[in-house]
Amino acid sequence: MSASTALLTDRYELTMLDAALRDGTASRHCVFELFARRLPGGRRFGVVGGTGRLLGLLRDFRFGDDELRYLRDADVVSPEAVAYLESYRFQGSIAGYREGELYFPGSPILTVEGSFADAVILETVALSVMNHDSAVATAAARMSIAAGDRPLAEMGSRRAGESSAVAAARMAYIAGFGATSNLEAGRRWGIPTMGTAAHSWTLLHDSEEDAFRAQVEALGPETTLLVDTYDIARGVETAIAVAGTGLGGVRIDSGDLPAVAATVRAQLDALGATGTRITVTSDLDEYAIAALAASPVDAYGVGTSVVTGSGHPTAGMVYKLVARQDAAGGWVSVAKTAEGKGSQGGRKSAFRSLDAGVATQELVEIADGFEQLAQPGDHPDARPLQVPLVVDGEPVSDHEGAAGVESARKHHLRVREELPIRALALSRSDPAIPTVYLDA
Amino acid sequence: MSASTALLTDRYELTMLDAALRDGTASRHCVFELFARRLPGGRRFGVVGGTGRLLGLLRDFRFGDDELRYLRDADVVSPEAVAYLESYRFQGSIAGYREGELYFPGSPILTVEGSFADAVILETVALSVMNHDSAVATAAARMSIAAGDRPLAEMGSRRAGESSAVAAARMAYIAGFGATSNLEAGRRWGIPTMGTAAHSWTLLHDSEEDAFRAQVEALGPETTLLVDTYDIARGVETAIAVAGTGLGGVRIDSGDLPAVAATVRAQLDALGATGTRITVTSDLDEYAIAALAASPVDAYGVGTSVVTGSGHPTAGMVYKLVARQDAAGGWVSVAKTAEGKGSQGGRKSAFRSLDAGVATQELVEIADGFEQLAQPGDHPDARPLQVPLVVDGEPVSDHEGAAGVESARKHHLRVREELPIRALALSRSDPAIPTVYLDA
């Protein structure tokens, strides 16, 4: 496996680069925009995810010997293009929404500026990261809202590609989860990890009692015992008999959860284990979590639904050329106009209008060139949404690593407070606030 | 980023290992099985994906300094467990279905044998790979069936996590696609790549004609021109004016495809470009492909739907302990019995019963120990389904790399021929053949 990320790229980007080197358009200054035409699934807001990871991948976006040899041997591009790529490194600039920020249809989530050659070949890697991570973040935020103050853990690694699983753990944490089962996410970004035992632990032993005793000896009575391998009532009884009434928690991974949770709570209380917590983990999504709000559940573990975006595994964002220089060096706004997939040309600046701290609209100001762009102070009742992410090829390191994760999480939890109440409902609807375009 | 895959693991696997080292059960010989309780989405068959990749990841499943330091510093496991993991390498054996093979509910897709310590910690990495790759493979096979003899290209990298995208390109190819847009998949496994230009190519130029001319000069008249940036009829006219009637193809990425394809075909024919192919690429899935069967379309490009498993992004496979030694060294079949998630204990051998070359049932023979397992010759009218994948810790290299991909693809296309006709329908139904359990 190569450490380079440069071939996480669709072939047509290099084909275009090749042709552009020949006809001289490769050096035209361009503005590409990454945005979503709509929010998937009738959701009311989206959550931007992936920014910090993308900046890390950009650092490794260099064509090394392996990559160049492949492009040459497989005749992907001309020898001239191979020579150009040998010294390629992105030298343009990227501004965009902070990770964890909310987005709406048309929000200019990333604005990539540079020569055509510089910017065109980032299309696939940028979209892969942002589409996946934003899909997970958006689903996770809905679950976090549904869970209220009860802690949520992400444990879906097994239901996602092995690398996407690590990214998903990161996004769930940014969007409000408290922990993950994924150890690589713990190692890489310092995200808290959790987990005690699977059914195989109980089945490995000659009896459930043996299994519980060994676990309590190893992990202490504050551990969580999985009580549903055989019969839940017997499992709870054995758990308390072995660990005592100071047992930290029991986990239930099957059955009709509202009914089971109530029964288990009553049983624990009757046994005197009034402080023993109940964690449920069986195929939860935001709707199941909401339906358990009145049940005596202390914590949720969420797997498949969070890592797969709860029915919407990709955010559907696109990467489009919106402005470029013409042959004379002037600025031209450009957009595809064919049916159904039109987009808004022009470079944009974006603000979230607020009324007494509550978001009222996504304000997107369009300019043809750079000079006329709205500046942060231009809309005093609105919060500017774009920050510099890459400046002249250099990623702004604040957004990367464990510190980037913590700051994205804080930012997300803070800006979520700006949502109008109606945005918190789980049912399908329109975006919570309208996107309003202004000509600068 | 670390090259080790050892922390693509849920924390509870290491917690169990830790406790098992203390109570002596870590060395108990165990059999874990990876299988699916059901086929997602009312599908009629599943396609096994990921085997070859998993074997590669197992080679890197070692705990290096970074991993051990994290486990120690974050107090994930005891110092004794850290010491054990320092020299960990999987020393057990894995048998299973070949990549590209079909599977049904209960098919023993992987059987992992070894000590509890050996086998328990592979759960997450094995499931991540197999769940993701099988979900893509199953969706891709349905699309390949719907497309019939028309070539299919995978171009969904931008709608999947950047590493999952590479894996998805590989699986689509194994399941019958002819090419991918993903260059890393081309480099890594020699999969044919394709792609010419995006809308940004046309928008970069001062006119569509300039863009087409530059592309034809760079790539020759056999290239494919994207004709729907502005007006499709004008785009087609310009394309032929620039490239001549020998133009290789036009691509259409928007609009009502059956109507548009018919109009464009008529226009191309009227212009004398009777050999110019039409490729369509707009939000296709297996249903849209089937609906285009009677339209004059020459090739399909599929994005989002194939990389996201067409509505089912994970195959829902599980990894369960099915047999183990007891304290006396005898074999015990084990299974969770709680509501809804029961499974079939015991080690299994699997055969596909055939009648005149057509599959009639998935025959799964269950044994308590090893000695009584059915052997390949035991069912003369059935094809044995399990092959050795890892023997005493050593991956069988036939399944890895570019050669593994080609052989999986051939195997898939061959065994797909065994499906009864009813299995080829796209509508929701039961599995095409029943799974029948026999006691050995």
Side-chain angles (χ1 to χ4, degrees):
Chain A
M1 207 176 309
S2 165
S4 165
T5 59
L7 293 188
L8 300 174
T9 296
D10 285 320
R11 178 170 170 147
Y12 76 1
E13 286 145 45
L14 298 195
T15 317
M16 288 188 276
L17 172 79
D18 196 354
L21 287 170
R22 287 182 199 229
D23 83 343
T25 51
S27 59
R28 283 195 173 182
H29 203 85
C30 286
V31 179
F32 282 85
E33 188 180 295
L34 188 148
F35 65 97
R37 293 201 176 93
R38 60 195 74 85
L39 299 175
R43 291 183 178 162
R44 300 174 185 214
F45 63 89
V47 178
V48 174
T51 326
R53 287 207 314 117
L54 177 60
L55 300 188
L57 295 172
L58 281 187
R59 291 184 187 277
D60 295 323
F61 200 93
R62 311 285 178 92
F63 294 82
D65 290 345
D66 285 351
E67 291 72 34
L68 295 168
R69 186 179 316 111
Y70 166 68
L71 296 177
R72 194 182 306 116
D73 294 354
D75 251 334
V76 173
V77 288
S78 69
E80 293 74 23
V82 171
Y84 175 87
L85 292 171
E86 196 166 347
S87 59
Y88 176 87
R89 88 183 266 280
F90 179 68
Q91 293 175 303
S93 295
I94 306 179
Y97 282 36
R98 288 186 58 179
E99 190 157 18
E101 183 58 81
L102 310 179
Y103 75 88
F104 298 92
S107 296
I109 295 168
L110 295 183
T111 303
V112 180
E113 298 178 25
S115 70
F116 180 74
D118 243 358
V120 71
I121 65 180
L122 301 187
E123 174 172 10
T124 303
V125 70
L127 284 173
S128 290
V129 172
M130 303 299 289
N131 270 326
H132 172 269
D133 288 15
S134 300
V136 173
T138 301
R142 287 160 55 89
M143 293 168 192
S144 162
I145 289 169
D149 292 334
R150 294 177 178 174
L152 270 174
E154 182 280 314
M155 34 192 282
S157 295
R158 63 195 53 201
R159 301 294 169 86
E162 73 283 0
S163 298
S164 290
V166 185
R170 178 181 177 280
M171 285 321 308
Y173 181 67
I174 288 175
F177 279 51
T180 177
S181 62
N182 188 291
L183 289 171
E184 181 63 15
R187 186 186 75 80
R188 218 177 281 178
W189 297 296
I191 298 171
T193 61
M194 48 66 67
T196 56
H199 294 111
S200 62
W201 176 250
T202 301
L203 295 172
L204 171 69
H205 287 83
D206 297 331
S207 72
E208 193 173 47
E209 189 182 332
D210 284 0
F212 288 176
R213 180 160 294 122
Q215 186 179 329
V216 169
E217 274 166 20
L219 303 175
E222 65 276 15
T223 192
T224 295
L225 295 171
L226 177 60
V227 294
D228 70 340
T229 302
Y230 304 113
D231 174 79
I232 294 179
R234 216 143 18 135
V236 170
E237 197 184 316
T238 306
I240 300 302
V242 165
T245 54
L247 175 65
V250 295
R251 177 161 80 93
I252 306 167
D253 186 45
S254 50
D256 175 42
L257 294 179
V260 173
T263 309
V264 168
R265 182 74 268 160
Q267 187 185 1
L268 285 170
D269 290 348
L271 290 166
T274 53
T276 299
R277 292 178 303 277
I278 298 177
T279 296
V280 297
T281 58
S282 182
D283 284 332
L284 297 178
D285 61 12
E286 61 267 49
Y287 304 101
I289 291 169
L292 285 162
S295 294
V297 168
D298 300 286
Y300 304 100
V302 184
T304 306
S305 66
V306 64
V307 300
T308 59
S310 199
H312 301 280
T314 175
M317 294 168 182
V318 294
Y319 184 88
K320 296 291 170 188
L321 182 66
V322 294
R324 62 161 173 87
Q325 284 185 303
D326 60 18
W331 276 97
V332 189
S333 291
V334 296
K336 179 175 190 290
T337 54
E339 190 182 352
K341 289 188 177 172
S343 52
Q344 194 80 45
R347 189 163 181 273
K348 305 179 184 73
S349 54
F351 302 82
R352 187 149 305 142
S353 302
L354 300 166
D355 181 1
V358 177
T360 57
Q361 56 184 12
E362 191 81 340
L363 198 63
V364 179
E365 226 172 286
I366 303 180
D368 272 349
F370 288 87
E371 308 73 9
Q372 316 98 311
L373 266 185
Q375 297 301 311
D378 286 3
H379 297 283
D381 295 333
R383 185 163 62 79
L385 295 167
Q386 293 154 306
V387 298
L389 297 169
V390 177
V391 178
D392 298 333
E394 196 51 47
V396 176
S397 61
D398 306 8
H399 304 280
E400 298 178 71
V405 168
E406 287 300 333
S407 104
R409 177 174 156 91
K410 280 203 194 78
H411 185 70
H412 172 69
L413 295 176
R414 187 167 70 75
V415 299
R416 210 160 80 182
E417 296 295 314
E418 295 173 356
L419 280 170
I421 292 290
R422 67 176 175 282
L424 307 182
L426 296 176
S427 55
R428 296 174 69 93
S429 184
D430 294 324
I433 58 172
T435 302
V436 176
Y437 292 96
L438 292 180
D439 286 323
Chain B
M1 207 177 307
S2 166
S4 166
T5 59
L7 293 188
L8 301 174
T9 297
D10 285 320
R11 177 169 170 147
Y12 76 1
E13 286 145 46
L14 298 195
T15 317
M16 288 188 275
L17 172 79
D18 196 354
L21 288 170
R22 288 182 199 229
D23 83 344
T25 51
S27 60
R28 283 194 173 182
H29 203 85
C30 286
V31 179
F32 281 84
E33 188 180 295
L34 188 147
F35 65 96
R37 293 200 176 92
R38 61 194 75 84
L39 299 175
R43 291 184 179 162
R44 300 173 185 215
F45 63 89
V47 178
V48 173
T51 325
R53 288 206 313 116
L54 177 60
L55 300 188
L57 294 172
L58 281 187
R59 291 185 186 276
D60 295 323
F61 200 93
R62 311 285 178 92
F63 294 82
D65 289 346
D66 285 351
E67 291 73 33
L68 295 167
R69 186 180 316 111
Y70 166 68
L71 296 177
R72 195 183 305 115
D73 294 353
D75 251 335
V76 174
V77 287
S78 69
E80 293 74 25
V82 171
Y84 175 86
L85 292 172
E86 196 166 347
S87 59
Y88 176 86
R89 86 182 266 281
F90 179 68
Q91 293 175 303
S93 295
I94 305 179
Y97 282 36
R98 288 185 58 179
E99 190 157 19
E101 183 57 82
L102 310 180
Y103 74 87
F104 298 92
S107 296
I109 295 168
L110 294 182
T111 303
V112 180
E113 298 179 25
S115 70
F116 180 74
D118 244 357
V120 70
I121 65 179
L122 301 187
E123 175 172 8
T124 303
V125 71
L127 285 173
S128 290
V129 172
M130 303 299 290
N131 270 326
H132 173 269
D133 288 14
S134 300
V136 173
T138 301
R142 287 160 55 88
M143 293 169 192
S144 163
I145 289 169
D149 292 334
R150 295 177 179 175
L152 269 174
E154 182 281 314
M155 34 192 283
S157 295
R158 63 195 54 202
R159 302 293 169 86
E162 73 284 0
S163 298
S164 290
V166 185
R170 178 181 176 279
M171 284 322 307
Y173 181 67
I174 288 174
F177 279 51
T180 177
S181 61
N182 188 291
L183 289 171
E184 181 63 15
R187 186 186 74 81
R188 219 178 279 179
W189 297 295
I191 298 171
T193 61
M194 48 66 66
T196 56
H199 295 111
S200 62
W201 177 250
T202 302
L203 296 172
L204 171 70
H205 287 82
D206 297 330
S207 71
E208 194 173 45
E209 189 181 334
D210 283 0
F212 288 175
R213 179 160 295 122
Q215 186 179 330
V216 169
E217 272 166 22
L219 303 175
E222 65 277 17
T223 192
T224 296
L225 295 171
L226 177 60
V227 293
D228 71 340
T229 302
Y230 303 113
D231 174 80
I232 294 179
R234 213 139 22 128
V236 170
E237 197 184 315
T238 307
I240 300 302
V242 166
T245 54
L247 175 64
V250 295
R251 176 160 81 92
I252 306 166
D253 186 46
S254 50
D256 175 43
L257 294 179
V260 174
T263 310
V264 168
R265 181 74 268 159
Q267 188 185 359
L268 286 170
D269 290 349
L271 291 167
T274 53
T276 300
R277 293 177 302 278
I278 299 177
T279 297
V280 297
T281 58
S282 182
D283 284 332
L284 298 178
D285 61 12
E286 62 267 49
Y287 304 101
I289 291 169
L292 285 163
S295 293
V297 168
D298 300 285
Y300 304 100
V302 184
T304 307
S305 66
V306 63
V307 300
T308 59
S310 199
H312 301 280
T314 174
M317 294 168 182
V318 294
Y319 184 87
K320 295 291 171 188
L321 182 67
V322 293
R324 62 161 172 86
Q325 283 184 302
D326 60 18
W331 277 97
V332 189
S333 291
V334 296
K336 179 174 190 290
T337 54
E339 189 183 351
K341 289 189 178 171
S343 53
Q344 194 80 42
R347 189 163 180 274
K348 305 180 183 69
S349 55
F351 302 82
R352 187 150 303 143
S353 302
L354 299 166
D355 181 2
V358 177
T360 56
Q361 56 182 14
E362 190 81 341
L363 197 63
V364 180
E365 225 173 287
I366 303 180
D368 272 348
F370 288 88
E371 307 74 9
Q372 316 99 308
L373 265 184
Q375 297 301 312
D378 286 2
H379 297 283
D381 295 334
R383 184 163 64 78
L385 295 168
Q386 293 154 307
V387 298
L389 297 169
V390 178
V391 178
D392 298 334
E394 197 51 48
V396 176
S397 62
D398 307 7
H399 303 281
E400 297 179 70
V405 168
E406 287 300 333
S407 106
R409 177 175 156 91
K410 281 203 194 77
H411 185 69
H412 172 69
L413 295 175
R414 187 167 70 74
V415 299
R416 210 161 80 182
E417 297 295 315
E418 294 172 358
L419 280 170
I421 292 290
R422 67 176 177 282
L424 307 182
L426 296 176
S427 54
R428 295 174 69 93
S429 184
D430 294 324
I433 58 173
T435 302
V436 176
Y437 292 96
L438 292 180
D439 285 324

